[in-house]
Amino acid sequence: MTNKDLNTVLDLFCGCGGMSLGFEEAGYHVLLGIDIWKDALETYKYNHKQSKTLCADMASLNPSEVEKLLDGQQVDVIIGGPPCQGFSIAGKRIVDDERNQLYKGFVRMVEYFKPQAFVMENVPNILSMGDGIIKASIIEDFQSLGYNVQTKVLTASDYGVPQNRRRAVFVGTLNSTFDFEIPSVEHKVTTNEALSDLPEGSLEEGAAYPTEAQSEYQKLERRNSSGVYNHEITVHNEQTKRIISMVPDGGNYKDLPKDLQGTRKVHIAWTRLNSLRPSITIDTGHRHHFHYKWNRVPTVRESARIQSFPDDFIFMCSKTSQYKQVGNAVPPLMAQAIAEHLKKNLWKKIK
Ligand SMILES: C[S@@+](CC[C@H](N)C(=O)[O-])C[C@H]1O[C@@H](n2cnc3c(N)ncnc32)[C@H](O)[C@@H]1O
């Protein structure tokens, strides 16, 4: 086999396609993305014109239905992140009950297509849940299908993403082993390097960039883009603007006068991004973290920059939905680092 032969990908729980994009940038061809959420698939279709999509419930989807959409093409790699709704275990096994059906759906696809490799990502604490029984049980499920399985928690900022998002990643390989020594970048990209060229106010869809790119990261993000999309600001009420204006760059509720510290009952309340560091993990639009300089939350485009989506990746449907799509995604640059490493280190051995 050659590198070229081992190239096709099936993305399960694909969302808007952050993980797919990373694999595409690494030279793979994503045949099909599957998700149950129509909005995310709208975005997926717009930005992944070479891939098919299927709107289906992974809990019950039969792999033979998927096969019908693949026009006889083999699947080399299966990728995806089944939402973990709290695994249910009995003894040392993840049982086949309702709560585990999304994970089991992933296992079913691997069992059916027998790809050369799979990459499954999840929240970091999946590795410690149930005193490690969940992790051991996942490894065992795939080992019983013939896979070598490695797992590690990766931090996105090690791969050029301006964000300290951490994800647990399981990599399974059929005819070789995989080592997680993925080369990391020397310089961690800061939020200022990610966002400083985007203005305080909203821009019309497709508006020209108001300034030159001000960092290498901004040049990278703009590489195929002719203008700015998804940069519509949230206008907060006067009280919110007044309170956040008292928080310095990188600060949080502790920087507020005592009587205002308890105005939001979450531990990350009134947090401003730190302009000199990668961002904290962005959420799906809960409005708790603010721009390091402006008195507002980041726009969808700014959130997409923090996730390392390039500027020509455009988000569809309502703004609320766009925030959720961005916040749910695997950062494309992190997925790309995994994909490139897999290609170099695995494909070499099975040639
Ligand atoms: C963490 S997000 C995936 C993000 C994606 N990997 C990316 O990089 O953009 C999880 C996805 O699982 C999808 N999902 C949840 N339940 C599902 C189900 N029963 N069948 C198919 N997809 C489902 C959600 O709609 C969501 O898009």
Side-chain angles (χ1 to χ4, degrees):
M1 284 183 187
T2 66
N3 286 357
K4 201 164 157 284
D5 296 325
L6 285 165
N7 203 29
T8 56
V9 174
L10 178 59
D11 188 354
L12 310 175
F13 310 96
C14 63
C16 67
M19 208 173 179
S20 277
L21 180 63
F23 274 74
E24 283 163 11
E25 293 282 320
Y28 296 74
H29 172 41
V30 183
L31 300 172
L32 176 69
I34 304 173
D35 204 285
I36 200 168
W37 185 24
K38 286 206 172 77
D39 285 11
L41 289 177
E42 279 294 303
T43 299
Y44 192 100
K45 278 185 218 163
Y46 185 85
N47 294 286
H48 303 271
K49 298 219 164 52
Q50 310 301 322
S51 310
K52 291 184 180 175
T53 55
L54 174 63
C55 188
D57 184 354
M58 277 295 301
S60 53
L61 182 62
N62 192 319
S64 62
E65 293 300 312
V66 176
E67 193 176 23
K68 283 185 202 153
L69 295 173
L70 300 181
D71 302 326
Q73 295 185 84
Q74 68 173 25
V75 176
D76 298 325
V77 187
I78 291 184
I79 62 175
C84 141
Q85 298 165 324
F87 282 103
S88 56
I89 45 177
K92 293 200 179 301
R93 308 273 328 125
I94 296 173
V95 289
D96 212 346
D97 80 1
E98 216 166 285
R99 278 201 291 166
N100 300 325
Q101 280 317 305
L102 298 181
Y103 161 70
K104 291 282 178 185
F106 190 103
V107 178
R108 261 201 311 279
M109 293 293 169
V110 171
E111 182 173 18
Y112 188 87
F113 289 104
K114 277 288 167 75
Q116 286 297 330
F118 70 82
V119 179
M120 188 176 87
E121 59 85 25
N122 220 294
V123 292
N125 75 356
I126 197 168
L127 301 183
S128 52
M129 270 180 211
D131 281 338
I133 289 180
I134 299 292
K135 172 185 167 190
S137 182
I138 291 173
I139 292 175
E140 217 179 291
D141 280 348
F142 290 108
Q143 276 175 343
S144 73
L145 299 177
Y147 287 84
N148 299 303
V149 185
Q150 319 292 322
T151 181
K152 191 170 178 183
V153 174
L154 302 180
T155 303
S157 57
D158 285 338
Y159 308 103
V161 180
Q163 184 186 188
N164 283 325
R165 173 177 291 240
R166 295 166 72 246
R167 299 301 284 175
V169 180
F170 292 80
V171 175
T173 52
L174 207 50
N175 295 317
S176 101
T177 53
F178 177 79
D179 77 71
F180 257 111
E181 295 310 310
I182 305 178
S184 55
V185 296
E186 264 173 36
H187 170 70
K188 296 213 176 212
V189 182
T190 67
T191 57
N192 182 62
E193 288 170 301
L195 308 182
S196 67
D197 62 333
L198 295 172
E200 181 174 13
S202 297
L203 290 175
E204 292 285 318
E205 291 295 79
Y209 288 97
T211 63
E212 294 289 306
Q214 293 165 8
S215 68
E216 286 308 308
Y217 184 77
Q218 290 169 17
K219 284 185 200 152
L220 177 73
E221 291 288 277
R222 291 183 182 199
R223 62 194 179 274
N224 297 317
S225 174
S226 53
V228 186
Y229 290 81
N230 305 124
H231 191 67
E232 182 194 345
I233 68 163
T234 299
V235 180
H236 302 282
N237 63 34
E238 287 308 316
Q239 162 83 338
T240 299
K241 283 196 266 191
R242 190 176 67 82
I243 296 178
I244 195 60
S245 70
M246 295 181 221
V247 176
D249 182 339
N252 61 29
Y253 68 96
K254 291 181 197 150
D255 297 295
L256 292 170
K258 282 266 175 295
D259 60 319
L260 292 175
Q261 287 190 2
T263 45
R264 284 193 182 182
K265 302 267 177 249
V266 286
H267 76 285
I268 49 161
W270 302 114
T271 297
R272 261 199 202 280
L273 304 181
N274 186 321
S275 63
L276 302 177
R277 299 215 180 117
S279 168
I280 50 174
T281 303
I282 62 156
D283 58 27
T284 50
H286 302 310
R287 302 192 181 181
H288 292 310
H289 55 257
F290 290 77
H291 193 283
Y292 58 82
K293 188 172 175 190
W294 315 129
N295 293 325
R296 58 165 177 75
V297 292
T299 62
V300 169
R301 177 52 50 199
E302 288 165 340
S303 305
R305 284 270 185 98
I306 289 169
Q307 281 278 56
S308 77
F309 281 97
D311 288 359
D312 67 335
F313 194 103
I314 299 170
F315 293 86
M316 303 289 155
C317 303
S318 70
K319 205 167 86 169
T320 308
S321 172
Q322 292 171 8
Y323 274 113
K324 193 170 162 202
Q325 294 170 41
V326 177
N328 264 342
V330 176
L333 281 182
M334 179 161 112
Q336 185 178 341
I338 300 168
E340 283 171 352
H341 191 65
L342 190 65
K343 204 161 221 184
K344 272 199 204 114
N345 292 276
L346 169 70
W347 297 166
K348 258 196 312 217
K349 291 176 197 161
I350 58 177
K351 258 189 233 179

